[in-house]
Amino acid sequence: QVQVVESGGGLVQAGGSLRLSCTVSGSIFSIDSMGWYRQTPGNQRESVASLSPGGSATYADSVKGRFTISRNSATTVYLQMNSLKPEDTAVYYCNARLYGNQGTWDYYWGQGTQVTVSS
């Protein structure tokens, strides 16, 4: 069984910073790409930042220059969020594409962590 667990969300004033963490555990043979998404009520989940297996980072235009995605191990990815704005308020989800004991490449999601930015 695979678990994807996020942490680090919270309440912060505009202009502040937060760091989200995501750790994948369980019956895993290999992890491919990892990334962060966010969702607000009534809206679709959108990609915020992602890391390719080769380490290339991709960012949504709305967060370029403010957010940084990094991966310090095979199973942990971070999202450093600086200069936060009220419009960054959302539930942030970690996503990982991995090869598990089912013998297939599949996408797994965490339960989400709330980020609230006050003006």
Side-chain angles (χ1 to χ4, degrees), residues 2-116:
V2 175
Q3 288 187 319
V4 180
V5 180
E6 305 105 332
S7 63
L11 173 64
V12 64
Q13 288 188 334
S17 299
L18 282 174
R19 188 193 196 203
L20 305 183
S21 300
C22 170
T23 299
V24 181
S25 62
S27 301
I28 303 164
F29 292 100
S30 182
I31 299 177
D32 192 336
S33 59
M34 298 183 76
W36 291 93
Y37 291 70
R38 65 187 181 188
Q39 188 171 23
T40 54
N43 293 307
Q44 289 187 333
R45 196 170 294 186
E46 63 173 0
S47 176
V48 175
S50 63
L51 271 177
S52 72
S56 296
T58 303
Y59 298 95
D61 288 342
S62 59
V63 307
K64 282 181 181 177
R66 300 187 298 121
F67 290 11
T68 302
I69 187 171
S70 63
R71 187 171 171 182
N72 77 336
S73 74
T75 58
T76 301
V77 66
Y78 302 98
L79 185 67
Q80 178 67 42
M81 304 185 295
N82 299 327
S83 302
L84 282 161
K85 304 175 181 180
E87 51 264 43
D88 294 319
T89 295
V91 178
Y92 284 71
Y93 296 91
C94 179
N95 175 269
R97 182 174 183 264
L98 61 89
Y99 193 92
N101 59 6
Q102 294 182 344
T104 57
W105 286 97
D106 295 299
Y107 289 94
Y108 290 82
W109 293 91
Q111 80 289 349
T113 184
Q114 177 70 47
V115 172
T116 303

